[in-house]
Amino acid sequence: MSEIIYSSTRNAEEKVTPSMAILKGLADDGGLYVPNRIPQLDVSLKDLAAMDYKQVAYEVMKLFLTDFTEEELKDCINKAYDSKFDTDVIAPLVKADGAYFLELFHGATIAFKDMALSILPHLLITSARKNNVKNDIVILTATSGDTGKAALAGFADVKGTKIIVFYPKNGVSPIQEKQMITQRGDNTYVVGIHGNFDDAQTGVKNMFNDKELEEELAAKGYQFSSANSINIGRLVPQIVYYVYAYTRLLGNGNEDKDDEIAGEITDSEKINVVVPTGNFGNILAAFYAKNMGLPIDKLICASNENKVLYDFFSTGTYDRNREFKLTSSPSMDILISSNLERLIYLIAGNDAAANATYMKSLSDSGKYEITADMKAQLEAFYGNFASESETASTIKRIYDNTGYIIDTHTSVAASVYKKYVSETGDDKKTVIASTASPFKFTRSVMDAIDKDKYDQMSDFELVDELSRIGNVAVPAAIEDIRTAPVLHDRVCDKTEMKAMVKGILGV
């Protein structure tokens, strides 16, 4: 198998191995690491259909992480996809409302971030060993709600690491916040900032690019790495579940006759994929899967009222100069979709200099406009958005019609999917990425179903009621925080993030 090398989206000269790309997270010039080619699946879809999640993960990830030995990669996979997940299949597909919901929330923190953040600590520690790194790794990350808890859970008490998570103090759900501020682990630190997610993300990026801070950390035996979706150690594991979902729909002919999913498609039949999208990593993983040879036709990019991506796909102009809206789908309340840079690089002909110009324009003026030729290369994408009222009404409609309860982010995707079908008449089988458990956004979900009935209930009374009406057990992640003490109460201004990090690390 030929080796994959990663280079920066902003400097073609900066080239690293897969393990070094994972270790560094962000390139020295602020660019993101991209593979020199997207490898092709080398196992047939039928053969993959006979494999379990861990086996599929190995067959996909080995193609991108070519400097990992088989033993190293399988060890990482086996440690990640274990009893932390409440189902052996890891990512079940549920048929409802004319689509297939890919439930990516069965991990420790009941959101799709677990799919990658369960394995990232193991990939990172393995990468450090491979590159003879002696420093402690400081994971520095910004979260719009889900990444933070999933990263904290993944890295808690992992030897040789510390993790510092920044989140917008008033920009996450009560349950998301409670999950983070009750996190155990002597190496975990959580800080609320007065600002929004984009402020937190910008502050983190600035620290990664601060050479003086890097030297100060090194003198104390530390170096930064990232758990955000900009790290290819996050992106590569996300490709896996799209391949897995397709092969579950395909089936291998040996399934139980009661399995309503297997055999729904024929070999090489194209499907569509809908992804609720904020930072663009999750839908980019689906795009990579498509380019690996997975028969995906349309990539349907679903935005909430912060519809910067919808506007981009409609016009070819990315413009973050707009009002930032707090919505009921806070993990998508993002105006700077960092992973879009990897797509821009690709459609610019893998031209790092051209991409760097676009990113400089985004930094300086808050916007950039791609060429007509680049826009033509986005034919596989369809963008649309759902308003707050549409998001709520879709949750209610699907529950009333099917009894199936989805969270707000998944509802954004389901709403946009209906718009897509209405506009195009395209009735291909469709997988909707269900990115969070409804228990994570209980109040918004229950308000959507019947606000008058549930308005006076406490958050945890709503949890129990959701369990009852949805006929699903309360996840362990929620039970754990009912009585958990608050362990993290740091709050700072967005301008004080660097000082906070130095204080935590004693630098």
Side-chain angles (χ1 to χ4, degrees):
M1 187 164 32
S2 60
E3 191 175 4
I4 295 278
I5 296 296
Y6 287 81
S7 61
S8 168
T9 51
R10 302 185 191 180
N11 177 6
E13 300 308 308
E14 186 178 343
K15 292 180 167 60
V16 295
T17 60
S19 62
M20 186 55 80
I22 291 171
L23 199 54
K24 293 178 72 169
L26 201 63
D28 290 340
D29 52 30
L32 310 189
Y33 286 116
V34 284
N36 58 339
R37 59 186 173 81
I38 296 179
Q40 298 298 293
L41 290 168
D42 62 356
V43 177
S44 74
L45 295 170
K46 272 290 185 192
D47 286 344
L48 288 167
M51 297 180 186
D52 65 17
Y53 194 89
K54 292 181 187 179
Q55 292 168 319
V56 173
Y58 175 72
E59 294 300 335
V60 172
M61 292 175 68
K62 72 176 187 186
L63 302 172
F64 286 91
L65 306 182
T66 50
D67 65 337
F68 282 67
T69 66
E70 180 176 349
E71 182 183 9
E72 286 170 337
L73 187 51
K74 285 184 172 176
D75 180 59
C76 292
I77 289 167
N78 287 330
K79 285 176 177 172
Y81 304 112
D82 59 8
S83 59
K84 291 190 291 293
F85 289 80
D86 64 18
T87 169
D88 290 342
V89 298
I90 308 298
L93 274 172
V94 174
K95 188 176 182 180
D97 195 45
Y100 304 88
F101 289 82
L102 177 60
E103 293 187 344
L104 300 172
F105 52 75
H106 288 273
T109 74
I110 58 175
F112 83 99
K113 309 293 172 71
D114 290 323
M115 302 299 295
L117 283 165
S118 295
I119 194 168
L120 182 62
H122 305 294
L123 294 174
L124 199 59
I125 295 302
T126 304
S127 296
R129 281 202 302 267
K130 293 173 82 68
N131 290 281
N132 300 310
V133 169
K134 300 292 189 282
N135 288 340
D136 277 7
I137 306 293
V138 178
I139 301 298
L140 187 65
T141 200
T143 185
S144 55
D146 287 339
T147 287
K149 173 60 182 180
L152 288 161
F155 282 93
D157 293 322
V158 172
K159 193 178 176 189
T161 70
K162 292 184 186 296
I163 175 163
I164 304 171
V165 170
F166 289 96
Y167 74 97
K169 178 65 182 161
N170 297 309
V172 300
S173 80
I175 294 227
Q176 284 177 313
E177 182 173 50
K178 189 88 186 286
Q179 280 189 299
M180 287 190 282
I181 63 178
T182 59
Q183 175 65 49
R184 297 178 185 89
D186 292 340
N187 64 335
T188 63
Y189 305 89
V190 180
V191 185
I193 70 155
H194 299 303
N196 59 38
F197 169 72
D198 289 331
D199 296 325
Q201 183 166 251
T202 298
V204 165
K205 282 186 173 180
N206 288 343
M207 281 186 271
F208 270 103
N209 294 325
D210 188 328
K211 299 304 174 190
E212 184 181 328
L213 180 59
E214 183 181 341
E215 290 171 10
E216 292 180 71
L217 288 174
K220 289 282 190 177
Y222 295 124
Q223 70 185 66
F224 281 144
S225 189
S226 168
N228 275 78
S229 60
I230 53 177
N231 192 317
I232 63 105
R234 280 276 305 274
L235 185 62
V236 170
Q238 290 179 280
I239 301 168
V240 174
Y241 47 72
Y242 294 109
V243 177
Y244 181 76
Y246 185 93
T247 59
R248 294 321 96 172
L249 287 172
L250 180 60
N252 62 1
N254 299 320
E255 295 82 15
D256 187 290
K257 62 179 177 9
D258 293 329
D259 187 340
E260 66 169 345
I261 300 298
E264 289 280 274
I265 59 175
T266 58
D267 199 1
S268 300
E269 180 179 341
K270 287 194 170 183
I271 65 168
N272 293 330
V273 172
V274 191
V275 187
T277 307
N279 222 12
F280 207 76
N282 203 1
I283 196 165
L284 183 72
F287 177 74
Y288 273 33
K290 173 181 170 73
N291 282 275
M292 293 178 78
L294 196 70
I296 294 174
D297 186 25
K298 281 290 182 186
L299 297 154
I300 299 169
C301 179
S303 300
N304 64 18
E305 289 182 354
N306 292 293
K307 56 188 180 68
V308 63
L309 287 166
Y310 164 61
D311 292 340
F312 168 71
F313 283 115
S314 302
T315 66
T317 297
Y318 191 95
D319 187 353
R320 65 175 172 83
N321 300 309
R322 62 186 68 205
E323 180 191 357
F324 181 91
K325 298 186 178 181
L326 290 174
T327 74
S328 61
S329 47
S331 300
M332 299 159 63
D333 290 346
I334 293 171
L335 294 181
I336 305 173
S337 302
S338 290
N339 266 291
L340 185 65
E341 179 170 349
R342 287 186 165 109
L343 181 64
I344 298 300
Y345 170 84
L346 199 70
I347 63 175
N350 297 341
D351 186 334
N355 175 71
T357 301
Y358 287 120
M359 294 308 121
K360 186 175 189 310
S361 178
L362 180 64
S363 176
D364 292 348
S365 68
K367 63 181 181 178
Y368 59 81
E369 183 177 0
I370 61 173
T371 66
D373 178 59
M374 290 168 70
K375 192 168 187 296
Q377 294 178 63
L378 298 175
E379 281 184 338
F381 289 90
Y382 167 90
N384 214 318
F385 76 101
S387 68
E388 285 289 89
S389 60
E390 288 169 333
T391 301
S393 64
T394 296
I395 291 172
K396 179 173 176 56
R397 178 181 60 75
I398 291 177
Y399 171 69
D400 287 346
N401 292 346
T402 69
Y404 186 58
I405 302 178
I406 57 174
D407 92 295
T408 45
H409 303 74
T410 307
S411 181
V412 168
S415 302
V416 167
Y417 172 55
K418 286 296 180 195
K419 291 183 180 183
Y420 172 76
V421 173
S422 175
E423 283 180 24
T424 65
D426 184 355
D427 62 355
K428 289 185 191 70
K429 306 283 195 327
T430 297
V431 169
I432 294 176
S434 184
T435 53
S437 164
F439 286 97
K440 201 152 194 170
F441 303 93
T442 319
R443 187 162 298 281
S444 295
V445 168
M446 298 301 274
D447 277 354
I449 290 171
D450 191 339
K451 184 174 173 63
D452 291 341
K453 186 174 181 180
Y454 301 124
D455 205 29
Q456 300 306 309
M457 288 188 179
S458 70
D459 285 334
F460 283 104
E461 285 173 334
L462 288 175
V463 163
D464 293 329
E465 182 67 5
L466 173 53
S467 173
R468 186 187 70 77
I469 69 168
N471 197 28
V472 282
V474 177
I478 300 296
E479 289 292 3
D480 288 348
I481 61 170
R482 276 188 198 263
T483 56
V486 171
L487 301 175
H488 305 275
D489 58 4
R490 290 180 173 90
V491 179
C492 73
D493 190 75
K494 64 185 180 182
T495 60
E496 300 167 342
M497 291 169 62
K498 179 177 172 179
M500 182 64 75
V501 168
K502 291 178 73 168
I504 287 170
L505 298 176
V507 172

